[in-house]
Amino acid sequence: MKKFSWMAIPAAVLLLAACGQEDETAGAGMNVNPIETAFNSPETAEPGEEMTLSVTVMQGEEVVEDADEVVYEVWESGHRSDSEMLPAEHIGDGVYEAETVFEEEGLYFAQAHTTARRLHVMPKQEITVGSPDPDSIVPDDSDDAEGMDKMEGHDGH
């Protein structure tokens, strides 16, 4: 029993010392701020004209120049199953862009699937193209997870 007591004291001291070191270095070098993706694109467009989809990716106060992937999913309201995936190009200062053309008037959505620094965000922007008749717009009740099925062929997934 005396041997056990004698060994328990150094073990407890080592355990406490290790805990103290772990607390001091936990998370060292890791940015715990979430990734934020903000749209720069206009909320309106004209049918048949090229439009630039643009987002700025930030983490805290820092622009993200090294996003693993930014892909725009674009669809007309009520027709998410027909969405198109447009890979974005990094143009600098945390900005990622892709070009698209909306051929017909209507209400559209662009969702920026953004993967950076082991985090994934999917902000969505509504885009009104032309002057659509409100009665012609099909409501969009799609779940944001639906677009993830189409992301499987991209690098970040």
Side-chain angles (χ1 to χ4, degrees):
M1 187 72 167
K2 287 184 182 182
K3 269 188 175 178
F4 179 72
S5 298
W6 180 80
M7 293 177 77
I9 293 172
V13 170
L14 286 174
L15 181 62
L16 289 173
C19 288
Q21 288 177 347
E22 185 177 328
D23 288 342
E24 291 173 14
T25 60
M30 290 184 58
N31 190 339
V32 294
N33 291 320
I35 295 294
E36 295 178 20
T37 300
F39 276 92
N40 307 317
S41 325
E43 294 179 352
T44 59
E46 290 301 318
E49 291 185 9
E50 189 170 77
M51 177 185 182
T52 300
L53 298 172
S54 175
V55 294
T56 300
V57 182
M58 304 277 296
Q59 186 173 32
E61 296 295 318
E62 177 188 0
V63 294
V64 175
E65 302 289 353
D66 60 349
D68 298 317
E69 182 176 52
V70 177
V71 177
Y72 293 97
E73 180 182 8
V74 180
W75 71 95
E76 186 173 7
S77 183
H79 302 281
R80 179 114 188 219
S81 61
D82 298 327
S83 67
E84 180 181 5
M85 304 304 274
L86 305 170
E89 180 181 334
H90 178 234
I91 63 164
D93 295 324
V95 176
Y96 296 79
E97 294 183 345
E99 303 294 325
T100 192
V101 175
F102 298 101
E103 296 297 338
E104 299 178 13
E105 289 187 328
L107 179 64
Y108 292 82
F109 292 96
Q111 187 167 36
H113 295 269
T114 307
T115 304
R117 301 175 181 175
R118 296 184 166 177
L119 301 170
H120 187 80
V121 294
M122 305 181 310
K124 187 167 36 175
Q125 179 182 26
E126 194 174 287
I127 302 167
T128 303
V129 177
S131 300
D133 177 3
D135 293 336
S136 70
I137 296 173
V138 177
D140 194 273
D141 58 356
S142 62
D143 182 356
D144 286 346
E146 287 182 40
M148 292 305 292
D149 295 339
K150 294 186 177 190
M151 292 297 294
E152 290 179 10
H154 294 273
D155 293 342
H157 299 274

